[in-house]
Amino acid sequence: MSKVLLISTGGTITMVREDGNGALVPADMETFKAFIPELFAGNIHVDIQAFDPLIDSSDIRPESWRKMAKMVADHYDAYDGFVILHGTDTMSYSASALSFMLENLGKPVIFTGSQLPVGVLRSDAKENLLTAIEIAAEQDEEGNALVPEVCIYFEDKLFRANRTTKRNAEHFSAFNSYNYPALAKAGVHITYQPHLVHYSDPNAPLTLHTEFDTNVAILKLFPGIQPAVVKAILHTRGLRGVVLETFGAGNAPSDKWLYRELKAAVDRGIIIVNKTQCNTGSVEMGLYAVSLNLMKAGVLSGYDITTEALLTKMMLLLGEMPERAKELLGKDICGEMTID
Ligand code: ASP
């Protein structure tokens, strides 16, 4: 019998309406389990570990990522796969973070949640959870995991975690992976795409990275952005890294003051990475003249990475191996970006 560890952090999937104001709050795991007896009735053995208390994912912090990753690492040998229940709001951040924290992962770690609480009749909770459990347990004839990656399973698709973004606060298809195809689709059968899966070196042991440096910022450009705003961000005390959200293929206003501010920040040792504000497509610095200044200032290309993946990768590299952060931000570590 395959064994899966279900780690619950909270999120809508575990929530009930609070008496009085009617707002959704996480219930406890006993209440949750009572809604899904199927969890323990199939041919996969499921054990549960839960955050205490369960939380809304707006309250997720790097400490929470550390806790989740440690739960996986501590029980790594005892289970075939792991499912992490998580609120959808910051799921892409957490799942991206874990994809970088769990180096040489050889087993599935599948994040899921739901748009409606488990106790609501039309809830998407059961389908998401039960399919995620099945995917986490799935192996080939030799006993190797089919998808040994950190993933998000939602509605009917399995995505590489560090390629996802929450795109919808209303519909059941809450996530998308704009720049990389789904690793599996679930219909009557679950159809896997093995050629798209990232496999770690099977002989390398799982290595856990847990140190984050949160002295980072996201600077989103817009027409009319003022020097004072850019200066305030780039002169933030202790700042070490910036996700620069640019236009189109990685373009920025050609104002001299912007170039000077960015160049001065890079010279002060701040790492700045160019991420397009578009969901689909890649940064291509040098394609337009309006991106040449960024190149001259020493801004790195983030290619087609998501903001969630770039931010968590930056925080982890700055925390774990600052001397290599710049070099590794320009490289694809575990399938998070496509470098042509
Ligand atoms: N606010 C909830 C959370 O992220 C939303 C959800 O789970 O869908 O925890």
Side-chain angles (χ1 to χ4, degrees):
M1 204 184 207
S2 306
K3 285 180 77 183
V4 170
L5 180 63
L6 175 63
I7 298 168
S8 180
T9 69
T12 295
I13 192 162
T14 64
M15 291 188 186
V16 291
R17 287 207 186 277
E18 200 167 37
D19 291 340
N21 63 15
L24 286 167
V25 288
D28 53 78
M29 275 319 278
E30 290 313 310
T31 310
F32 175 78
K33 273 155 55 181
F35 282 116
I36 310 200
E38 298 92 332
L39 203 51
F40 308 100
N43 56 358
I44 299 167
H45 176 90
V46 179
D47 289 323
I48 299 183
Q49 297 239 334
F51 277 26
D52 184 18
L54 298 173
I55 55 176
D56 188 293
S57 77
S58 292
D59 287 325
I60 289 283
R61 309 269 181 272
E63 298 85 80
S64 329
W65 300 336
R66 221 170 275 142
K67 211 156 130 186
M68 288 176 225
K70 261 197 106 274
M71 281 173 160
V72 171
D74 287 350
H75 298 92
Y76 193 65
D77 293 332
Y79 292 91
D80 299 300
F82 302 82
V83 171
I84 302 188
L85 283 186
H86 195 290
T88 59
D89 291 349
T90 62
M91 190 188 290
S92 288
Y93 287 94
S94 295
S96 295
L98 263 76
S99 77
F100 302 119
M101 296 170 84
L102 299 165
E103 189 182 352
N104 301 323
L105 184 68
K107 296 183 179 185
V109 175
I110 315 294
F111 279 73
T112 196
S114 65
Q115 291 283 59
L116 282 172
V118 65
V120 172
L121 207 55
R122 283 196 315 111
S123 177
D124 47 336
K126 271 191 193 182
E127 202 289 307
N128 284 349
L129 176 54
L130 297 175
T131 307
I133 298 270
E134 201 171 318
I135 291 170
E138 201 96 71
Q139 295 178 341
D140 63 18
E141 289 96 52
E142 275 110 56
N144 299 312
L146 283 197
V147 189
E149 288 203 42
V150 182
C151 297
I152 288 184
Y153 175 76
F154 221 89
E155 212 203 10
D156 59 351
K157 291 193 186 72
L158 183 73
F159 295 124
R160 174 172 300 152
N162 56 36
R163 290 289 190 156
T164 62
T165 296
K166 182 171 179 181
R167 66 156 171 203
N168 207 315
E170 165 69 21
H171 292 138
F172 289 151
S173 58
F175 292 91
N176 200 16
S177 165
Y178 289 97
N179 284 323
Y180 200 75
L183 304 180
K185 288 186 187 152
V188 174
H189 303 286
I190 303 175
T191 316
Y192 293 91
Q193 305 293 333
H195 62 288
L196 296 174
V197 174
H198 174 88
Y199 298 97
S200 303
D201 175 356
N203 300 313
L206 178 75
T207 308
L208 180 62
H209 301 282
T210 55
E211 291 313 310
F212 289 91
D213 187 331
T214 52
N215 289 298
V216 295
I218 299 176
L219 171 51
K220 184 168 184 163
L221 298 178
F222 57 89
I225 190 166
Q226 288 295 307
V229 171
V230 173
K231 270 191 192 152
I233 293 177
L234 294 181
H235 284 272
T236 303
R237 193 190 300 249
L239 188 72
R240 305 193 56 209
V242 175
V243 173
L244 181 68
E245 291 203 348
T246 56
F247 309 130
N251 303 319
S254 44
D255 305 64
K256 289 223 168 52
W257 66 261
L258 180 62
Y259 163 74
R260 279 198 301 268
E261 285 303 329
L262 292 170
K263 169 94 174 57
V266 171
D267 290 345
R268 291 197 297 278
I270 296 170
I271 300 175
I272 307 181
V273 185
N274 187 346
K275 153 80 187 93
T276 170
Q277 291 174 20
C278 299
N279 282 326
T280 307
S282 184
V283 164
E284 218 180 316
M285 288 202 285
L287 179 65
Y288 290 89
V290 281
S291 62
L292 290 174
N293 271 348
L294 300 181
M295 287 172 87
K296 271 195 257 157
V299 171
L300 306 176
S301 176
Y303 301 94
D304 62 349
I305 200 167
T306 63
T307 295
E308 295 88 336
L310 177 53
L311 193 82
T312 53
K313 180 179 174 181
M314 187 180 266
M315 289 198 284
L316 190 70
L317 289 174
L318 287 170
E320 281 274 333
M321 47 194 93
E323 66 300 329
R324 292 194 66 202
K326 200 164 182 172
E327 171 209 338
L328 292 175
L329 278 163
K331 289 192 176 154
D332 174 36
I333 296 181
C334 53
E336 72 278 12
M337 62 187 187
T338 317
I339 302 174
D340 283 332

